[in-house]
Amino acid sequence: MLVSEILNGLPKFLEWMVLFDLSAVRQLTDDAIVRGMYHLPEDIDLDPYSHAILTSHGRFLASGTRQWLSEPNSGKGWSPKMIKSSLADRFESQLALFEVDESHCFGLGEQSPFAPVLLHVKIDADGYGAARAIFDREPTQKHYELLQAVGVKFLGGETQDNYYIARFRNRLPVHIHAGILSHFSRTGHCNLFFLQHGNIDSLLEEGLLKAAAVRIKFAKNRAYQAVAQLATAACQDSDLAMTCQPPAPAPSFSYGNLVPLGFALQALNVATAEEDAADNIADARQNLSQFLADNSQDGLWAFQTGRLITATDSALVLQGFTDPAAVQALEIFADGRGGYYPQLWSEREEAGKMLLDASCRHWCQTDYATTCLVRGLQQRAGLPTTTSLAYLEAGFAQRSGLYFANPYLVDYALAQAIELDPAAASLRQQLLTEMLASMNADYSFGTYDLAFSTALAILCLARLGCNGRTLRSAQLRLLDFIDSEGKFPTATPFYSSLRLDANIPMKNILGLLFAHKVASDGQQQQIKKVEGEYHSISLYLDTHGKISTAVAALALAANCNPAAYDLDWQQSDLQAIHPRYQCTQHCEYIAKFALPYYLQGVYA
């Protein structure tokens, strides 16, 4: 049957009705779920029917071959010809605004004290529903951040013929999955949302909060399982490392098998502590902990098995341990003035030290991000802190990391350093204000490595005490990035840079730049001029997703009180977004913000 024929076959007195094109819906999921969505008998064959129709007086199925509506349990029905006064007659003026027979979902109704409302949805090949609704005025949009929980996004609207035409986009696979997780117990809330002209009352807010909590828990557990599998594989295969990508045309190579596992162990620690943790999570955690212990050197770690131990790498691996002795061992990297060197060095071959040359001389100074990580570890281990708040405050405006390719990773380190310090309230607020200003309109963070940046930002917000609706909105946005295996996209957390020999003739440098530009095939330029020097930048990709998935799992597990509405900052006069958060590529951020301060010797 056509939609218009169904509307002519439904009696005028119905308070509301919404119908669904079964052929379109069945392309999105299997028939068992379709039956569950509309509370149809489990054994009913859907093939003879064109539409499922939900109404204020029960549910019906429309025949695909003749004008006939039937009640699915009894099989009794009627022909539209039996209806003297129909819904089509009652809503004639509103129906004139849309081509009703082109819809895959169509609803209309009226609930006192609200005016009549109409909904028209078309589903595209990618499973997105383009929805238009006739409201009497623009909705307030209060609590609209929670619509993410059911895959819905408000796209704005316009006034037409004394109506407000609101536009929404419905990501239907997400919408259906949210229904599955709730056993389709709140399907009536969709109708209520539109009957109330898009205004979310306390009942709908509560339902959306429940949907959000269930979806986040489901995704978190999937991510935990993915981390456990990655950790188990890494323990069995030492080549399951990060990928070092030097400037083209030099080839990429595997390097960095230990540091990612610190984040993985941290996620498995949190997972194991939860009441419903799966047994394989505990096994993976135990095996990973032992693997890292076996690959330590004097209680500390290198980036890659058997290589030089560093403070930066050790502090990152220690994200997964509570080990006061190892934290105390980091004092060999202290400069005695509150800062920590990323590694030790010497101008001649010496055990445990990097061989110094002109290309890496800028590595030989204290590192702000590493210092923050060490301070955070000291606090967590109950050890005295050796870095003053004044030190952190002095470096705040220009904060960066010698090896950190993402500004939110630096913020993550700083948030750890000040989270537990009662005297750091002012610095926490400064960091929180800058981070909130950088939040995108869709509650994500950053412009590159969006999932990783958003997950890091969530962890920072939680550590800085911002754990209400803002945090929940960002967690919901993070769900958009998880794949079917529970993994999150590859990120590039780290970099290293080497200064090109200042004695190289300019024509040779120009030739090198040209060769790199050709070989990089349009990718970001990894040879940059910074502070008057040319530097080659190597990027370290989290190829297997160990870091990105672990950090995302931790972000989804962050304690949150979503009933606490803390989005008022959106209407306040927040400071402008700091340019560090607006860089569109890793190398742009590195050249403009991460590297210059080390070339200037700011942290020396």
Side-chain angles (χ1 to χ4, degrees), residues 54-96:
L54 308 181
T55 79
S56 54
H57 280 62
R59 57 187 54 83
F60 304 92
L61 293 170
S63 171
T65 57
R66 60 195 180 104
Q67 291 189 353
W68 185 257
L69 302 178
S70 60
E71 199 284 322
N73 290 302
S74 67
K76 296 180 180 180
W78 73 90
S79 167
K81 295 178 181 179
M82 302 166 57
I83 303 298
K84 294 182 179 180
S85 183
S86 69
L87 281 178
D89 297 326
R90 177 179 164 195
F91 290 92
E92 181 179 6
S93 61
Q94 290 92 346
L95 291 172

Side-chain angles (χ1 to χ4, degrees), residues 405-408 438 440 445-450 453 524 577-594:
N406 189 306
Y408 294 100
S438 76
N440 299 319
F445 288 81
T447 60
Y448 62 84
D449 283 353
L450 209 58
S453 298
Q524 56 182 316
I577 301 175
H578 193 285
R580 71 166 61 87
Y581 299 116
Q582 297 178 301
C583 296
T584 58
Q585 293 180 322
H586 307 84
C587 288
E588 180 188 359
Y589 165 70
I590 293 164
K592 289 183 177 179
F593 297 100

Side-chain angles (χ1 to χ4, degrees), residues 334-415:
D335 72 345
R337 301 187 301 275
Y340 286 81
Y341 299 115
Q343 68 280 307
L344 302 180
W345 66 91
S346 175
E347 293 185 353
R348 60 180 183 275
E349 293 283 353
E350 191 173 342
K353 295 183 179 180
M354 176 189 75
L355 183 62
L356 175 64
D357 62 38
S359 68
C360 62
R361 186 170 296 278
H362 58 288
W363 297 10
C364 304
Q365 57 186 302
T366 55
D367 177 51
Y368 188 84
T370 301
T371 299
C372 288
L373 287 173
V374 173
R375 191 179 200 266
L377 291 169
Q378 291 170 339
Q379 290 185 316
R380 195 174 73 188
L383 299 173
T385 56
T386 54
T387 304
S388 67
L389 272 180
Y391 182 101
L392 299 182
E393 290 168 346
F396 177 80
Q398 298 178 330
R399 63 187 181 278
S400 60
L402 184 60
Y403 305 114
F404 287 11
N406 189 306
Y408 294 100
L409 188 54
V410 179
D411 291 347
Y412 168 86
L414 177 56

